[in-house]
Amino acid sequence: MNYFQSSSSMIIVALLTIGFSYVQPASAEEVGERWGTEERERVYYPIVNIPLPKETVIEAGAFALLPDGRVAVGTRHGEIYIIDGIDDEKPNPRFHRFASGLDEIFGLSWKDQSFLVTQSCELTRVSDSDGDNIADRFETISDAWGYANYHEYAFGSKPDSAGNLFIALGLSESYHSYALNRGFIMKVAPDGATTAFASGLRSPGGIGHDEHGALFYIESQGPWNCSCSLKAVTKGSFHGHPASFPWYKTAPELGPVPVMPNSGTRVITERQRVAQLAPYAVIFPYIRMGRSITAFTVNQTRGKFGPFENQLFLGDYTQSIVMRATTEQVKGVWQGACYPFREGLSTGILSVEFTPQGKLLTGGTNRGWPVRGIKPFALERIEWNGKMPFEIERVTIEPEGFKLTFTKPLKREVGQLVESYQVFAFTHPYHAGYGGPEIEKHQPMVQSIEISPDGSFAKIKIDRLQPGFVYELNCSRLRSIDDESLLHHHAFYTANEIPDKIGEVSDGK
C-alpha cells in the first residue's frame, strides 16, 4: 500500500482504539489481482469452515498445540481459547475461554503446564494454579521493551531447542522508534534474561524457525523494504531499517552501530558497506505474491498435507491467501523461493498452524486495513484430500541456472523444450521511500534443459544468472506425464549468491 493508504488505515485503527465501530474498507481499495486458481485448488485442498460460538469474536493472532491434541488460539482481544475437536471430519468444536485481559496476542506456546504469551507489552507466563481450567496466574517473564502506540506490535517465536524465545518488535507508528528497543529482535532465555539479538526491523509479521532450524522473520513492505520478505536472523544482524540505531547505546551485546545505509542503492552493494546487513532471504513480489505477509509455520506432517514436507506455509493478510516458501544456503547466505498455494480464504490471515492431524489451521481478521476476505474474522482449515496436484515442488539454484523439482513426472516431449520455460529477472532499489518499483528488469535466455530419467526434475541453464536479483520462473507450457497442466505456473527465486559448484548449496545443517 502507498503512504496515503497507510496513513488512512492508521487513522481507522486509531478510531477503533477509542471506541468507534469498525467500518469495512471501501470496496474500491485495490488489493491486487487474483491468481485465478481457486477453483482448481479446491480439487486438491478444500477449505473447511470452523464454526465459532455465537456472539464470540475470535480474531486469531497465534496458535499453540497442546499435548492432548487440543489447540489453543490467542486473539487480538487478548483472550486465550482452548479448542477441542478441531480435527473432526465435520468440525463442531468446543471452545473454552481459558484467559482474558491480555493485549493483542501474536505469539503463543505451551511449555511446562503453562502458556508463554507474547503480547504487545511483554512476554507472559499464563497458568492455572487451582485446577479449575481458568487462568489465575499471570507472570511477567520479560518486559524489556517499550510500548506506547497501537502499532507497536510484538511477535513471538516458539521456544528453540534450548528454550529461548525470540520477540520481533515493530516500530512506533510504523515509521519511528520512540519506545525502548523498537525495531529490535530480543532473545529471552528460559530464566527470563533478555538481550538484544538483531536490529533494523520495520513492521514484522511473524518470527520462527524454518525447516532447517534457522531463525527467520517476516518483514512488511514499506520504508527500506520494497516488498514483503522472509529474512534470516543471526546474532548482531541488521535488517535494513535504521530507525532502531539509537537503542544500540542500551544494547552493547549487539556490537557497534551499523554504518548508516545509503538510500537509493541496492542491497547487494550496501552489503559491502554495512557489515551487519542481512539480505532478504526470500522476496515476495509485491501484489503478485502477497501484500501484507504474516506468520508462517513449517509442514512437518509426514505426508499428511501432501507433497510439501518441510516447507514453510505463510499467510497474507490483505489478499486472504496462503503461500509456500523453501530456503537453502549458498556460500553461507540464506536464500530461496516462494510459490502460490491457496486463495479464497474468508478473512485476512494473521496466523497459521498445522493441527495434530496435519491440517492447516488459519485465522485472522479484516479489521483496520483493506482485506479481500469478506468476513470480519474466521477460523478455517485447509486439508489435503489425497489427490496429487501437478506443482513445482521446489526450486533450487545451480551454478548456471535452476533445478525445478515437480510433484509428478514431466511429459518429456514438452519438458525438454527450452520454450517451455520462461525466465524473468528484476531487483529493487534499497531506499528510505515507502515501497518501490521493480527495476533492472530483463529476460535471461534459456539455453538448455536437462530432465532426470524419471521426469521428476528439470535443470535449466540460462545465459545470465546474477546475485541480487529475483528470478521469476514461468512454466505454463509444461505438462505432467498424464497431460495435466501445472496448478500454479510460477515460482520466484531470490538469488543472493551464485554457487561456483553444486556442493556450495546446503540446507544449513
Side-chain angles (χ1 to χ4, degrees):
M1 67 181 69
N2 63 36
Y3 173 80
F4 298 103
Q5 291 168 333
S6 178
S7 298
S8 299
S9 298
M10 287 190 287
I11 292 170
I12 291 172
V13 179
L15 292 174
L16 286 170
T17 63
I18 59 175
F20 283 76
S21 61
Y22 175 71
V23 178
Q24 172 71 22
S27 59
E29 181 74 48
E30 177 58 45
V31 298
E33 295 294 326
R34 294 179 182 269
W35 296 330
T37 50
E38 180 180 351
E39 185 174 344
R40 286 193 65 198
E41 291 163 356
R42 188 182 300 120
V43 173
Y44 309 98
Y45 285 94
I47 296 173
V48 176
N49 178 63
I50 305 297
L52 302 178
K54 292 182 179 180
E55 301 180 359
T56 301
V57 176
I58 298 182
E59 297 176 331
F63 297 111
L65 304 185
L66 303 186
D68 61 6
R70 294 180 297 169
V71 174
V73 55
T75 76
R76 283 190 63 252
H77 289 212
E79 299 172 310
I80 298 174
Y81 287 87
I82 297 177
I83 312 172
D84 192 5
I86 200 79
D87 269 323
D88 292 350
E89 183 177 356
K90 295 182 179 180
N92 187 24
R94 296 162 294 285
F95 288 75
H96 168 67
R97 192 173 74 170
F98 178 77
S100 60
L102 300 158
D103 183 20
E104 294 194 309
I105 299 171
F106 289 127
L108 189 65
S109 304
W110 176 261
K111 185 178 181 181
D112 299 331
Q113 303 302 309
S114 300
F115 285 106
L116 304 179
V117 183
T118 304
Q119 49 179 327
S120 295
C121 54
E122 66 174 44
L123 175 64
T124 313
R125 181 180 291 109
V126 178
S127 57
D128 167 26
S129 65
D130 60 10
D132 66 353
N133 294 319
I134 301 293
D136 54 25
R137 189 172 180 85
F138 299 76
E139 303 170 84
T140 298
I141 300 173
S142 177
D143 59 357
W145 58 88
Y147 174 55
N149 174 263
Y150 80 93
H151 206 283
E152 290 172 346
Y153 303 121
F155 294 84
S157 73
K158 307 290 186 185
D160 66 10
S161 58
N164 303 300
L165 277 84
F166 297 86
I167 313 296
L169 301 172
L171 291 178
S172 312
E173 300 175 0
S174 188
Y175 296 93
H176 313 286
S177 187
Y178 297 141
L180 177 65
N181 293 336
R182 284 288 158 180
F184 277 4
I185 291 174
M186 309 301 290
K187 177 183 176 181
V188 184
D191 64 358
T194 305
T195 52
F197 194 76
S199 70
L201 282 66
R202 183 243 161 191
S203 186
I207 185 169
H209 295 83
D210 79 342
E211 67 270 30
H212 314 298
L215 184 64
F216 286 78
Y217 89 96
I218 284 292
E219 183 59 271
S220 301
Q221 187 248 19
W224 298 99
N225 293 274
C226 289
S227 268
C228 297
S229 63
L230 184 70
K231 296 185 179 183
V233 183
T234 56
K235 183 175 174 54
S237 54
F238 165 59
H239 295 276
H241 199 303
S244 56
F245 282 179
W247 301 117
Y248 270 71
K249 64 181 181 290
T250 65
E253 63 270 26
L254 282 181
V257 180
V259 174
M260 184 69 181
N262 289 325
S263 179
T265 56
R266 309 286 184 272
V267 167
I268 190 171
T269 55
E270 286 302 282
R271 286 174 62 196
Q272 308 305 312
R273 293 184 62 251
V274 186
Q276 302 95 324
L277 179 60
Y280 319 103
V282 179
I283 289 174
F284 294 79
Y286 191 57
I287 297 295
R288 288 179 287 166
M289 287 292 290
R291 178 170 152 172
S292 300
I293 299 175
T294 51
F296 60 88
T297 189
V298 183
N299 175 16
Q300 295 182 322
T301 64
R302 299 182 180 180
K304 294 177 182 177
F305 201 67
F308 307 115
E309 188 74 7
N310 289 321
Q311 297 192 11
L312 300 182
F313 284 77
L314 313 93
D316 185 81
Y317 177 82
T318 302
Q319 294 184 331
S320 304
I321 57 177
V322 171
M323 295 168 286
R324 297 187 286 122
T326 55
T327 55
E328 61 182 353
Q329 245 183 353
V330 180
K331 298 181 179 178
V333 179
W334 285 103
Q335 56 193 48
C338 61
Y339 320 80
F341 178 70
R342 189 65 165 96
E343 61 182 353
L345 293 158
S346 296
T347 195
I349 306 304
L350 291 177
S351 189
V352 292
E353 184 67 81
F354 283 99
T355 70
Q357 294 301 314
K359 302 173 176 68
L360 185 61
L361 184 61
T362 70
T365 179
N366 70 356
R367 183 178 296 271
W369 279 270
V371 173
R372 174 172 289 151
I374 62 173
K375 291 185 178 180
F377 52 89
L379 291 181
E380 292 176 303
R381 198 178 72 192
I382 304 173
E383 55 189 45
W384 183 47
N385 61 13
K387 298 178 181 179
M388 183 64 68
F390 180 40
E391 290 271 50
I392 302 172
E393 189 268 337
R394 72 176 60 223
V395 177
T396 54
I397 198 167
E398 300 271 314
E400 296 180 289
F402 299 96
K403 176 183 175 181
L404 284 69
T405 303
F406 301 93
T407 59
K408 289 183 176 183
L410 288 174
K411 191 174 187 177
R412 296 189 69 87
E413 52 265 42
V414 180
Q416 65 190 2
L417 301 175
V418 294
E419 55 265 32
S420 294
Y421 308 83
Q422 289 184 302
V423 182
F424 304 91
F426 68 88
T427 189
H428 287 125
Y430 174 44
H431 66 178
Y434 197 106
E438 296 176 1
I439 59 174
E440 299 183 38
K441 296 180 180 181
H442 59 278
Q443 184 174 1
M445 298 302 296
V446 179
Q447 295 182 314
S448 63
I449 307 296
E450 176 189 340
I451 299 179
S452 63
D454 63 359
S456 64
F457 67 81
K459 293 183 178 181
I460 66 172
K461 180 180 178 181
I462 61 176
D463 68 344
R464 190 177 175 187
L465 182 59
Q466 301 170 273
F469 282 82
V470 178
Y471 287 85
E472 175 187 350
L473 305 167
N474 183 343
C475 304
S476 60
R477 297 183 182 182
L478 291 181
R479 294 292 184 274
S480 68
I481 196 170
D482 52 5
D483 206 35
E484 182 182 355
S485 63
L486 282 165
L487 176 53
H488 300 104
H489 302 158
H490 297 82
F492 300 86
Y493 189 96
T494 301
N496 292 318
E497 298 285 350
I498 309 301
D500 297 321
K501 54 185 179 181
I502 298 298
E504 290 175 322
V505 181
S506 76
D507 63 7
K509 293 182 179 178

